[in-house]
Amino acid sequence: MKKIPYNSFLQSMTLFFVNDNIDEKYANLRKEKINQLKAEMSLINSRAGLQNYIRTYEDSLSNLLVILGVSNEMFKRVISMFRIQLGMIFQTEWDAKQTRKYMLTNDTMMERVCNLFLKGSCDSSLKAQLPGFKLANFIIDDNVMNRLKNDDFLAFLINKEFDTQYNSDLSNANIAKIDDTLNEICKILNLKLVRAPKVDPIGNGTRDIQVNYAIECPGKNLPIFYLKYSFNITTSKGQTDFKRSVKDLRDFIRNKNVEAKQIVVLDGAGWIGRQSDLRDAWDYCDYCLNLQHIEDLKEIIKL
């Protein structure tokens, strides 16, 4: 089988991955999260209620930031300020879970964080060190408590919390399609499917080329096919790194395993938005497929 022409490959790419089962899963998770927040956070506008909430639930601070609409980065800055005031010397900032862990054993930190959420500009120390506009965002006032009564607003706030895992689940579903297809092919042709094989381009163990699959044929010392995949919904530097690894694998094949072929599976709006890397990856490999052409693997992998 010949390599799919670049323009045909590009025109058949998927912009948005659609999976009804995953959509249903996250719709249910969102409902569960809304009900959970309502029940757990009903008394957070009092000092006793807030401290009890923080002490009881591991994800309490993260949930508070979601309800308040405060970024994790802003919260880290404030906690770093508190740590400096306590005489702590550090090189890295704490995330919400690390902060909560320390609060459970340090009454001073617990007091300062609770003052941040409950007193705001009424605390003279906080008022002197934080801009009023930023400080106001941390206050658990009546408006914040009313958010707990509004399902639509809670859904809007917590959607972002699920984005990373939702996208990961979509990618995993796509990977499963590849895995199932390769398993079927190798079983029929009596080939060996190796997941995450070690490919050492230099031969001294100093670095490996990331490869998702190798397909080995009985009686041959080296794989006859290598396969790499990447599903990107957004653009990132990781796509350039992936493209370079495709080139590294091409060079390795030319120098060490000239009988092998490299197959690359790429799809998603992120690749459409980063076509300079997409074109290079297409150039460097022997076969470049997307989800619309997964069945082509059965034509490509023939002895």
Side-chain angles (χ1 to χ4, degrees):
M1 178 178 173
K2 294 183 178 180
K3 186 176 185 179
I4 300 171
Y6 178 76
N7 286 337
S8 298
F9 165 72
L10 184 64
Q11 289 296 316
S12 59
M13 289 188 73
T14 307
L15 280 170
F16 300 101
F17 304 128
V18 178
N19 187 302
D20 291 341
N21 290 332
I22 293 175
D23 282 351
E24 182 179 359
K25 170 187 173 181
Y26 280 90
N28 290 332
L29 284 175
R30 183 169 56 195
K31 290 178 183 177
E32 291 173 7
K33 183 70 173 182
I34 288 172
N35 292 332
Q36 173 194 337
L37 290 177
K38 286 182 174 181
E40 295 175 357
M41 304 180 77
S42 60
L43 300 176
I44 59 171
N45 56 341
S46 69
R47 187 168 295 269
L50 179 59
Q51 289 192 8
N52 181 64
Y53 176 62
I54 293 172
R55 293 186 184 281
T56 304
Y57 300 102
E58 185 177 356
D59 58 354
S60 53
L61 290 180
S62 296
N63 289 338
L64 284 167
L65 297 181
V66 168
I67 293 299
L68 292 165
V70 174
S71 71
N72 285 290
E73 293 304 309
M74 182 61 187
F75 185 63
K76 286 180 180 180
R77 298 299 101 80
V78 176
I79 296 304
S80 291
M81 181 183 75
F82 291 161
R83 291 170 71 189
I84 290 171
Q85 292 170 353
L86 292 173
M88 301 173 67
I89 298 174
F90 55 91
Q91 294 182 342
T92 59
E93 292 186 302
W94 284 343
D95 61 17
K97 286 188 176 181
Q98 290 170 305
T99 299
R100 175 183 174 270
K101 184 177 179 180
Y102 186 74
M103 289 169 64
L104 297 182
T105 61
N106 187 285
D107 291 340
T108 302
M109 182 65 85
M110 176 67 79
E111 186 72 11
R112 293 194 179 188
V113 173
C114 287
N115 283 346
L116 174 69
F117 290 134
L118 296 174
K119 296 181 69 174
S121 59
C122 294
D123 184 306
S124 58
S125 176
L126 288 172
K127 186 177 181 181
Q129 296 175 78
L130 284 171
F133 179 74
K134 297 290 185 181
L135 186 56
N137 294 331
F138 284 96
I139 302 300
I140 302 173
D141 56 15
D142 290 343
N143 289 329
V144 171
M145 296 307 294
N146 284 333
R147 293 173 189 173
L148 292 170
K149 303 174 184 177
N150 188 324
D151 285 7
D152 290 337
F153 191 80
L154 286 176
F156 171 77
L157 286 177
I158 66 178
N159 273 345
K160 189 171 182 60
E161 178 184 349
F162 291 125
D163 275 355
T164 299
Q165 189 57 48
Y166 174 80
N167 293 337
S168 177
D169 281 0
L170 285 175
S171 291
N172 288 337
N174 295 333
I175 293 166
K177 294 178 185 177
I178 298 173
D179 199 273
D180 290 345
T181 303
L182 292 177
N183 266 321
E184 178 186 350
I185 292 169
C186 290
K187 187 174 182 179
I188 292 172
L189 299 178
N190 193 31
L191 301 172
K192 181 180 179 181
L193 181 62
V194 181
R195 293 173 177 81
K198 182 177 181 181
V199 179
D200 184 352
I202 300 175
N204 60 6
T206 57
R207 73 181 182 93
D208 292 333
I209 300 172
Q210 181 185 358
V211 179
N212 299 110
Y213 297 98
I215 296 175
E216 299 178 357
C217 180
K220 290 187 179 289
N221 294 326
L222 292 171
I224 55 174
F225 289 99
Y226 298 96
L227 187 144
K228 291 170 59 64
Y229 56 70
S230 174
F231 302 104
N232 282 79
I233 295 175
T234 59
T235 59
S236 73
K237 179 181 177 296
Q239 288 164 274
T240 299
D241 294 337
F242 181 90
K243 176 261 305 255
R244 289 171 179 161
S245 73
V246 174
K247 181 180 184 298
D248 288 343
L249 183 57
R250 179 201 66 178
D251 295 342
F252 169 81
I253 290 171
R254 287 179 176 178
N255 294 327
K256 301 291 178 67
N257 188 13
V258 293
E259 294 185 3
K261 301 292 184 183
Q262 178 179 190
I263 305 168
V264 174
V265 182
L266 301 173
D267 217 336
W271 281 107
I272 296 288
R274 207 173 180 102
Q275 289 190 39
S276 58
D277 289 332
L278 179 67
R279 183 63 190 243
D280 286 344
W282 182 91
D283 281 338
Y284 295 146
C285 65
D286 296 290
Y287 299 99
C288 196
L289 309 177
N290 54 43
L291 292 173
Q292 299 299 319
H293 294 93
I294 291 299
E295 289 297 311
D296 289 355
L297 287 169
K298 296 177 181 179
E299 293 297 317
I300 293 169
I301 304 172
K302 287 184 176 181
L303 300 182

